[in-house]
Amino acid sequence: PPAGALVGPGPDVYVGPDTFAELEERRVGHAHQVLEAAERGLRERGFAVETAVLLGAAARELVDDAGAWAADLVVVGSHGHGALAGLLLGSFSAEVVDHAPCPVLIARRPAVTRVVIAVDGSTAAGQAVATLASWPVLRALPTTVLTVIEPLEPMGSAAMPAVQASLDVARDRFAAGLRAHAEGVARSAADRLRGAGLSAAGRVVEGKPAEQIVLAAAQEGADLIVVGTRGLTGLARLRLGSTARGVLHTARVSVLVVAAHSDPTSQHRR
């Protein structure tokens, strides 16, 4: 901010330009210290690392830089604190996920040993499967392919038993068709992943999608959930789908979000 009067609940305070310059220098110095520690830790694990300090709105700067650099993956923390640290998604992380030009990993676990990927037959889910199949780093991990069927609401009225019986038959047939379709979606995705060398098995459950995905990850002992979300452009690409956002906000494990516009075949590997 420019030097001048800072208005607050107490007496106004004037901060001169020299003080602002000193504060800015301290902030940038701290940023470089953080980067040096991160760089050192990554290099010790065999990574090639470049660092940069960007000035501006954090999420926007990161998203713009990822696009300019043609990154294949953005990794951020969840920014949760206290007892709800595993459940909260900070505004910075949420904005990055909403606007990033590539898949985004919300890291909540130090390692990944097992994966749950949610599929529903959509283009976004197909992109998530393609990403998982094309990344060697995830290829050796046991993977559960999950499809969730939302329960059907009751039909008709018990006041007309004959009509109700017909409606129940129609509902059961429709439910059976939905399950058969869901099993086909899960089986197709699992076959594609196995063809890419992954150990993958399909599974179909019933319930609210976000709740069931998070529950399945807990039951499977998964460290990572992979979800797809719609990949739109312009002003429409401002919000995640409700299922992806529900998973992001409630999962206690890492979540990889793949938008339908992501390119899993990119060769940059950054």
Side-chain angles (χ1 to χ4, degrees), residues 16-217:
D18 291 343
T19 302
F20 269 115
E22 181 181 351
L23 291 173
E24 186 71 3
E25 183 178 353
R26 289 182 181 179
R27 287 204 309 147
V28 173
H30 175 70
H32 281 291
Q33 291 176 1
V34 171
L35 283 179
E36 288 171 3
E39 179 182 11
R40 183 167 55 252
L42 289 170
R43 286 191 185 280
E44 289 173 353
R45 290 166 175 79
F47 286 86
V49 183
E50 298 177 16
T51 63
V53 174
L54 307 177
L55 299 178
R60 185 182 67 238
E61 292 293 335
L62 180 57
V63 167
D64 290 347
D65 197 60
W69 202 50
D72 297 297
L73 177 67
V74 171
V75 182
V76 296
S78 63
H79 283 202
H81 296 282
L84 297 179
L87 305 179
L88 300 178
L89 187 70
S91 59
F92 162 77
S93 303
E95 187 175 350
V96 171
V97 173
D98 275 336
H99 299 287
C102 60
V104 178
L105 174 66
I106 304 297
R108 293 189 175 107
R109 294 288 177 90
V112 178
T113 60
R114 191 174 188 91
V115 179
V116 166
I117 180 170
V119 298
D120 58 5
S122 66
T123 300
Q127 194 71 58
V129 172
T131 298
L132 194 60
S134 66
W135 285 3
V137 68
L138 300 176
R139 195 165 291 163
L141 303 178
T143 301
T144 297
V145 180
L146 185 74
T147 300
V148 182
I149 305 173
E150 295 195 57
L152 297 175
E153 297 294 331
M155 301 170 62
S157 170
M160 303 177 65
V163 174
Q164 183 63 52
S166 296
L167 289 174
D168 288 343
V169 170
R171 180 179 181 278
D172 291 343
R173 288 178 177 173
F174 186 58
L178 285 177
R179 174 164 284 276
H181 174 72
E183 290 173 348
V185 168
R187 182 169 56 252
S188 177
D191 288 344
R192 183 175 182 181
L193 292 175
R194 283 195 295 269
L198 282 81
S199 173
R203 178 181 171 192
V204 177
V205 297
E206 183 173 319
K208 295 181 178 179
E211 291 181 2
Q212 291 301 316
I213 293 168
V214 172
L215 177 61

